[in-house]
Amino acid sequence: MTNTEKAESKDVLGLHEKVEELPRAQPGDLHKSSLEEVQGMIDGREVGRGELEVPNRARRRSDAILGAVSFAAERFLRATSWEESIREFLERLGRAAEVSRVYVGENYRAQDGAPLSSARYEWAAAGVSPQIANPQLQGFSWRACGMGRFEESLRRGRAIHGSANELIQSERELLTALGVRSVLVVPIFVDRHWWGYMGFDECQAERVWSDAEIDALKAASSILGAAIRRQQAEKALREARDELEQQVEQRTAVLKATNWELRHEIAQRTSAEEALRESEERLRSMFENTMMGLYRTAPDGHILMANSALLRMLGFSSFEELARRNLEEEGYEPGYPRSIFKQHMESRGEVVGLESAWTRRDGTVLFVRESARAVRDKAGKTLFYEGTVEDITERRRAEEEAQRRLDELAHVARLSTMGEMVSGLAHELSQPLAAIANHARACRYQIRALRGEGRQGVLDSVGHIAEQADRAGQIIRHLRTFARRADSSRLPADVNELIHDVTILLEVEMRLHDTCLELVLNRSLPEVTIDRIQIEQVVINLVRNAMEAMEETPKKERHVAIRTSCVAENLLAVAVEDAGRGPQTECIDRLFEPFYTTKASGMGLGLSISRSIIEAHGGRLEALPNAERGTTFRFTLPVEDKGDAR
Amino acid sequence: VNGESTIFLVDDDPAVLRSLTALVRVVFPRVEAYTSASEFLEAYRPERPGCLVLDVAMPGMNGLELQRKLIEGKIDLPVVFITGHGNVQMAVGAMQAGAVNFLEKPFHEQELWDSIRKGLQRDEENRRRKHRRDEVEKRIAQLSPGERQVLDLILDGKFNKEIAAELGLSIRTIEDRRSRLMQKMQASSVAELVQMAMIR
C-alpha cells in the first residue's frame, strides 16, 4: 500500500501543474488557442528537467517526441479528420519516445449510462505484441478492471505513470497480462470534457518517464484533443451549415414552387390571352374565308363591313371600293329595291331567306338569298344591319333554264296540239266536203238528163258547189300537210338520260301533286335516234296523265313508276305506271282518239299527239290496265332509225 | 256492161257513203252501200258479179285488211280503193294485191267511174273464164276412163298409132274412143281440145 501511495502521490504531484497549464479553450477560438498552446509548449520547454539520469538520451527523445508532436500538429491542422493521420502520428511518437506501444482510447457511455472505454488506435514496436484487438481493452471499465486510480487521475486531467512493481495488485495484474513493464497514460480532454486517453507502454524494461517525455505526451494529447474538438466543431458547423442549407433549400423549394405557380399562372394567363386572340383570329378568318357573304350596313345605306366572299360575289377587289356605294342609291336591281329588305326588317325585326338581286361591279346581276337582323341600341334605334348572303345565281340560272325548257316544251306541245287539231279538223272537215262535192256532181248528171227551162243555170250552180267544195278540201289538205311537216331533227339519244332530265323538269309538279316517282331504268339500253324534245313531251304527257289520274287516290299511295327495258333486240320500251283508278276497259280503245277526254279541262289531244309522235318514230303507244289498279302507258321505240315509218 | 253487176261501196262515214252512192248511181244503177268491212263480208255472196269500192281508213277492219281477207277466201272481186290520205307504200301494196285502182281524194268522178268500169270488165272476164273452165270440167267428167286415157295422150301430141302401141290396143279401138271423146268434149278439132285443156 505504501508503494502505491508513494507512486500515486508522486505521479499526481508531477502532473498536477501541467494539468493546470491546460488552456481554457474558448468556443469559436478552437484552432488558434490549441495551436498557440502547442506552440507555446514546444517553444518554452524546459530542457533541464530530464537531465538527471541520461541527460542526452532523454533530451534527444524529448526533442524527437516534440518533433512528432509538431508533425502531428501540422497534419491535424491540414487534414479534415484527425483519424487520417493518427496512425502515422502514433508511430512517430512511439519511435521518438522509444516505447513498445503507443495508443489512443476513447470514452463513451454504455446504454445504461455506465462509463466505458475502448482502445481505438495503436502502434506497436517491432517484436511487441499489439493489444488493439485484445477484447479486454474494448468496452472496458477502468474501475471494474481494477484501474480505478488511473480513471480518477485521468478524469482530473492528470497523467499517471509507473512501473509494474510500483503499482497496486489489481493494476499490476492487468499490466503484466499485457506484457507491460512501465506505463504512462495521459487524458485527452476535448472542450473540458474527458474524451479519452493516450498512453505509452514499455515492455522491455522498467522505465522512469522523464518530465520532458510526460510533457511531450501531454502536448500530444492536448493537440489530439484540440484536433478532435476542431473536428467536432467543424462537424457541428457543417451540420449547422447543412441544416441552414437545407433550410435554405427548403425555402428555395417553396420559393421555386411559388415561382412555378406564378409562372404557370402567367403562362395560363398568356395562353388564355392567346386563346382569346386565336379565337378572335379564327372568327376573323371565318369572317374572311367563309363562302358565305357577311356584311354590316347602316340604315342610311352605308356599307360598314363586308367580307371577302361578299366582295368576290360582287366582283369588287377591295372593301373601300365597295364602300363607295350607298345602298339607298345603287346596288339593288330594279324589281328588287332595298325598301323590300327594310320593310321586312321593320315589320319583323329580321330578314330570313329573302331572295333578291344585286348589281355586280360590272353591272351583271347577282342573285342572292340573304338573312339579316337589326342591331339596336338601348333606346331601340337601329344601329346597323348584320346579315349573311348566299350566292344563288347558279341555282336561279338552273331554275330559269328548267323553266325555259318547260316553256319550250309547252310551246312545242302547243304547236303539236295545233298541228294535231288541224290534222283532226282537216280529217273531220274533208269528209263532209267530199260528200258535198260528190252530191253536187251526182246532181249535175241527174239534172243533165232532165229537160226544161233554166236547166243550165241549175247545172252551173251545182257545178260551182262541187268546185268550191273541192277547193275547201284542197285548202284543208294543204293545212294538214303543213301541220304534219313539224318533223324536226332526229339525233341519237340515251332514253334513260332523257327520262332523268324530264323528271327534273317535273319535280315541282310532282311535289304539288304529292306524287312519288320511281325510276326503274335498264342500264344497258341502246341509243335511239329520236326527236328528243318530242319524246320528252310524250314522257311529260304520260307522267302528267298519270298524276292527274291519281287525283282521287290517297296521297300516300300516289306513285308513278317509269320503267325502261329492252323488249327485243331492236326495240326498247318505256312504261309509265300509275296507281290511279284507270279508265273503263271499253274506253281504253278510245283514249288515243283526238278530242276524246275524260277530264273536265283539256282537249283530249295529249294521248292522240303522243301516239302520233311515237308512231312517227316507228314505235307504238298503248294503254294497258294494271293487274291491281291503275294504268300503264307503254311506248316502244325502234333502235334503228326506220326512216319513213308513216 | 252486165246489167246484173252490182257496185259495192264501203265507207265508215255514212254521209260520204251516201254521196258516193249518188255519184256512182249516175252511171251504175245497182249500188249497195256498207258502213263497215265486216258488214259487207257478211252480206256478200261470191256468185254476185260486180266491183268493190273501198275506203282505206276505217275503224275496225280497214280497206287493205278486207282486201287481204277476200284473197284468202279466194273471192275474186275487183277492188277500187279510195283514200283521204294514203301514201305510196299503201298504194303499191294494194295494187300488188290486185287492186284495180287506188284513188286519192279528191278525185274526179270520171276517174271513179272509169275505175269501176274497168273493175266490172275484169269481173266479167273472170266470170267468163270461170264459166268456161267449169264447162270443160263438166265435159271431162262425162268421159270414160278409157276415153280419158286417150285424151291425155292426144294432149301429149301423140298419133293414133303411137297411142294404140302404148295402150296395147288396136288402132280401130283408139279411133272409136277418139270420135266418142271428141263428141263428148264438143270439140271439132285437136286444136280446140288443147284450148279447152289450157283453160282448165
Side-chain angles (χ1 to χ4, degrees):
Chain A
M1 282 298 272
T2 318
N3 281 347
T4 315
E5 291 287 312
K6 207 175 102 189
E8 188 188 356
S9 65
K10 189 176 122 192
D11 287 329
V12 166
L13 284 173
L15 277 171
H16 187 68
E17 286 170 351
K18 295 298 172 189
V19 170
E20 288 306 300
E21 284 169 17
L22 275 171
R24 293 288 180 265
Q26 299 299 314
D29 196 14
L30 244 88
H31 295 286
K32 204 180 165 204
S33 63
S34 301
L35 278 175
E36 274 169 1
E37 180 190 8
V38 170
Q39 212 58 36
M41 280 193 286
I42 293 165
D43 291 342
R45 68 181 182 256
E46 290 170 60
V47 183
R49 275 199 190 179
E51 286 172 2
L52 285 170
E53 272 178 81
V54 197
N56 288 336
R57 192 179 171 196
R59 186 179 181 147
R60 199 179 62 243
R61 269 189 197 159
S62 177
D63 284 351
I65 291 171
L66 286 170
V69 170
S70 171
F71 163 81
E74 201 191 336
R75 276 299 177 90
F76 288 156
L77 195 65
R78 260 195 256 132
T80 49
S81 164
W82 58 271
E83 283 163 311
E84 282 175 16
S85 315
I86 189 69
R87 286 171 209 279
E88 197 183 357
F89 173 42
L90 294 182
E91 186 183 347
R92 284 202 177 215
L93 206 57
R95 288 189 193 283
E98 293 173 3
V99 292
S100 302
R101 297 189 195 108
V102 186
Y103 44 86
V104 171
E106 190 183 350
N107 299 334
Y108 61 94
R109 287 193 182 273
Q111 282 190 331
D112 58 0
L116 294 174
S117 296
S118 281
R120 293 287 185 232
Y121 299 99
E122 182 194 58
W123 175 82
V128 178
S129 62
Q131 294 299 322
I132 188 70
N134 187 347
Q136 273 191 291
L137 296 176
Q138 297 296 320
F140 67 93
S141 160
W142 295 88
R143 219 177 285 273
C145 61
M147 301 289 279
R149 288 202 310 152
F150 274 68
E151 184 187 330
E152 206 57 35
S153 292
L154 292 172
R155 188 180 296 280
R156 289 184 184 164
R158 292 178 195 153
I160 187 162
H161 58 82
S163 297
N165 57 349
E166 295 170 345
L167 300 175
I168 57 169
Q169 181 69 27
S170 62
E171 295 166 348
R172 194 163 56 236
E173 278 176 10
L174 179 69
L175 292 174
T176 307
L178 300 171
V180 175
R181 305 279 293 268
S182 287
V183 67
L184 168 60
V185 183
V186 295
I188 299 170
F189 272 80
V190 173
D191 202 13
R192 281 197 283 177
H193 166 74
W194 183 39
W195 183 87
Y197 58 94
M198 190 173 191
F200 289 158
D201 281 355
E202 181 52 66
C203 301
Q204 305 299 324
E206 294 199 354
R207 176 166 168 173
V208 174
W209 308 95
S210 70
D211 283 348
E213 285 169 341
I214 294 169
D215 286 345
L217 190 58
K218 285 182 78 171
S221 79
S222 173
I223 283 235
L224 185 56
I228 292 169
R229 190 183 166 200
R230 191 195 109 196
Q231 202 171 315
Q232 283 181 344
E234 276 181 351
K235 190 183 167 203
L237 194 67
R238 199 163 54 241
E239 280 172 1
R241 198 187 60 213
D242 286 352
E243 197 186 343
L244 194 68
E245 271 179 11
Q246 205 183 329
Q247 278 181 4
V248 168
E249 221 166 79
Q250 277 174 358
R251 294 289 299 277
T252 309
V254 171
L255 272 171
K256 271 187 184 165
T258 313
N259 192 22
W260 186 85
E261 274 170 23
L262 265 170
R263 271 168 203 258
H264 184 68
E265 203 179 306
I266 290 169
Q268 269 185 335
R269 206 168 284 180
T270 312
S271 75
E273 276 166 18
E274 254 167 39
L276 193 66
R277 198 160 47 240
E278 234 171 67
S279 117
E280 273 170 11
E281 263 166 34
R282 251 201 316 274
L283 276 174
R284 171 140 287 276
S285 160
M286 266 168 63
F287 181 77
E288 280 308 322
N289 297 328
T290 176
M291 296 299 289
M292 185 156 276
L294 303 172
Y295 68 78
R296 196 177 269 186
T297 57
D300 67 2
H302 277 98
I303 302 167
L304 305 174
M305 271 171 100
N307 70 343
S308 32
L310 186 53
L311 292 176
R312 241 185 346 263
M313 285 180 201
L314 285 165
F316 284 90
S317 53
S318 74
F319 171 69
E320 288 69 27
E321 203 184 356
L322 173 64
R324 276 182 223 134
R325 267 189 183 175
N326 185 309
L327 297 176
E328 286 296 315
E329 286 152 22
E330 57 174 331
Y332 284 84
E333 285 291 307
Y336 298 90
R338 192 176 193 232
S339 54
I340 295 176
F341 173 85
K342 288 179 95 174
Q343 259 172 21
H344 275 254
M345 195 57 100
E346 293 316 315
S347 59
R348 292 170 219 168
E350 61 172 4
V351 168
V352 180
L354 175 68
E355 295 200 357
S356 184
W358 295 354
T359 312
R360 284 202 178 91
R361 184 173 179 273
D362 62 6
T364 55
V365 181
L366 171 73
F367 285 101
V368 296
R369 186 182 146 89
E370 62 172 326
S371 294
R373 65 186 189 104
V375 176
R376 300 176 205 273
D377 62 12
K378 280 179 185 162
K381 185 177 166 259
T382 301
L383 295 175
F384 51 82
Y385 305 125
E386 219 170 37
T388 59
V389 184
E390 192 188 342
D391 182 351
I392 56 161
T393 309
E394 278 305 306
R395 203 188 79 201
R396 270 293 183 94
R397 291 234 168 92
E399 281 174 4
E400 277 172 8
E401 174 65 18
Q403 191 55 49
R404 195 186 60 72
R405 291 203 56 198
L406 275 176
D407 290 350
E408 192 179 280
L409 276 169
H411 178 69
V412 170
R414 270 198 302 277
L415 279 184
S416 304
T417 307
M418 275 176 64
E420 199 66 21
M421 276 173 70
V422 168
S423 188
L425 280 173
H427 180 73
E428 299 302 316
L429 285 177
S430 70
Q431 296 292 90
L433 283 172
I436 292 168
N438 290 341
H439 281 298
R441 291 198 179 91
C443 280
R444 284 185 77 186
Y445 291 101
Q446 287 158 24
I447 292 164
R448 224 178 255 165
L450 302 174
R451 295 177 193 280
E453 224 32 53
R455 193 190 64 150
Q456 193 54 45
V458 179
L459 267 180
D460 288 350
S461 294
V462 174
H464 290 146
I465 291 170
E467 272 167 38
Q468 292 306 310
D470 279 346
R471 190 174 156 222
Q474 290 287 2
I475 290 167
I476 278 180
R477 211 167 310 281
H478 279 141
L479 202 59
R480 197 169 182 195
T481 317
F482 179 76
R484 285 255 162 162
R485 215 174 46 202
D487 195 325
S488 53
S489 59
R490 291 188 185 174
L491 292 167
D494 177 348
V495 171
N496 287 338
E497 197 186 294
L498 180 150
I499 287 167
H500 258 293
D501 290 355
V502 166
T503 55
I504 290 167
L505 294 175
L506 287 169
E507 230 172 60
V508 179
E509 277 177 66
M510 303 282 302
R511 262 206 307 279
L512 287 175
H513 282 85
D514 293 296
T515 304
C516 141
L517 178 74
E518 182 193 5
L519 296 183
V520 186
L521 305 179
N522 181 329
R523 289 286 152 206
S524 50
L525 284 188
E527 282 198 334
V528 285
T529 303
I530 52 170
D531 182 325
R532 198 185 161 105
I533 289 183
Q534 286 188 348
I535 302 298
E536 279 181 7
Q537 199 205 322
V538 170
V539 178
I540 287 178
N541 277 344
L542 296 182
V543 174
R544 279 186 181 150
N545 270 349
M547 286 190 288
E548 283 160 6
M550 292 189 292
E551 265 163 2
E552 285 162 30
T553 307
K555 284 187 180 180
K556 280 188 178 175
E557 296 165 27
R558 293 181 187 174
H559 179 263
V560 174
I562 304 181
R563 297 176 200 276
T564 58
S565 57
C566 267
V567 288
E569 198 182 336
N570 291 322
L571 198 65
L572 60 82
V574 178
V576 179
E577 287 175 24
D578 67 54
R581 66 201 137 81
Q584 308 280 309
T585 319
E586 60 267 28
C587 293
I588 276 196
D589 286 340
R590 298 195 58 201
L591 282 177
F592 299 102
E593 284 178 24
F595 308 108
Y596 175 83
T597 180
T598 57
K599 285 172 275 189
S601 63
M603 285 178 67
L605 283 170
L607 284 174
S608 147
I609 293 169
S610 297
R611 177 171 265 189
S612 301
I613 289 172
I614 294 303
E615 284 175 357
H617 279 82
R620 284 184 64 82
L621 170 62
E622 57 193 347
L624 306 156
N626 290 341
E628 279 184 26
R629 61 172 173 175
T631 313
T632 295
F633 284 87
R634 179 172 172 277
F635 66 83
T636 56
L637 287 171
V639 174
E640 281 172 1
D641 189 4
K642 292 270 168 92
D644 189 359
R646 268 191 203 160
Chain B
V1 177
N2 190 340
E4 293 293 303
S5 291
T6 309
I7 314 304
F8 303 97
L9 300 180
V10 184
D11 194 315
D12 61 311
D13 188 321
V16 173
L17 187 61
R18 264 199 303 279
S19 74
L20 269 179
T21 308
L23 195 57
V24 173
R25 242 183 217 147
V26 171
V27 181
F28 308 96
R30 291 179 71 101
V31 178
E32 283 180 20
Y34 299 91
T35 52
S36 75
S38 47
E39 197 187 321
F40 163 74
L41 273 179
E42 226 169 277
Y44 181 68
R45 295 287 167 269
E47 61 273 15
R48 297 187 62 191
C51 175
L52 181 59
V53 177
L54 258 182
D55 186 15
V56 175
M58 285 185 297
M61 194 189 301
N62 70 26
L64 295 169
E65 284 166 345
L66 174 56
Q67 181 190 31
R68 207 174 305 134
K69 264 252 156 73
L70 293 174
I71 292 167
E72 281 165 12
K74 295 201 190 304
I75 298 167
D76 207 0
L77 186 66
V79 181
V80 174
F81 282 105
I82 296 174
T83 177
H85 39 85
N87 60 38
V88 180
Q89 257 189 335
M90 259 187 213
V92 170
M95 295 305 283
Q96 278 175 348
V100 178
N101 210 344
F102 195 91
L103 296 176
E104 213 167 335
K105 290 183 195 170
F107 47 83
H108 198 269
E109 64 272 20
Q110 200 59 56
E111 271 187 289
L112 176 64
W113 292 332
D114 289 349
S115 300
I116 293 172
R117 196 171 287 120
K118 201 172 154 193
L120 290 178
Q121 278 167 5
R122 189 186 289 179
D123 183 56
E124 212 176 330
E125 273 168 38
N126 287 347
R127 284 177 196 282
R128 202 179 300 131
R129 204 182 301 127
K130 190 174 184 301
H131 175 77
R132 282 171 62 193
R133 199 164 54 229
D134 290 350
E135 192 60 32
V136 171
E137 288 298 333
K138 213 158 67 192
R139 291 175 195 169
I140 288 175
Q142 291 167 5
L143 300 181
S144 68
E147 290 161 356
R148 183 75 193 264
Q149 268 182 329
V150 174
L151 174 64
D152 288 346
L153 290 168
I154 290 170
L155 289 176
D156 278 352
K158 297 203 168 129
F159 298 112
N160 287 352
K161 224 165 97 184
E162 292 167 303
I163 298 168
E166 202 164 309
L167 296 177
L169 296 169
S170 68
I171 293 179
R172 179 104 194 187
T173 310
I174 299 304
E175 280 172 350
D176 280 354
R177 285 188 185 175
R178 185 180 183 131
S179 72
R180 271 201 305 277
L181 176 161
M182 293 293 274
Q183 227 175 354
K184 282 181 181 170
M185 292 299 288
Q186 299 175 23
S188 53
S189 65
V190 174
E192 244 179 287
L193 258 188
V194 171
Q195 244 179 347
M196 282 183 212
M198 280 174 69
I199 288 166
R200 204 184 145 216

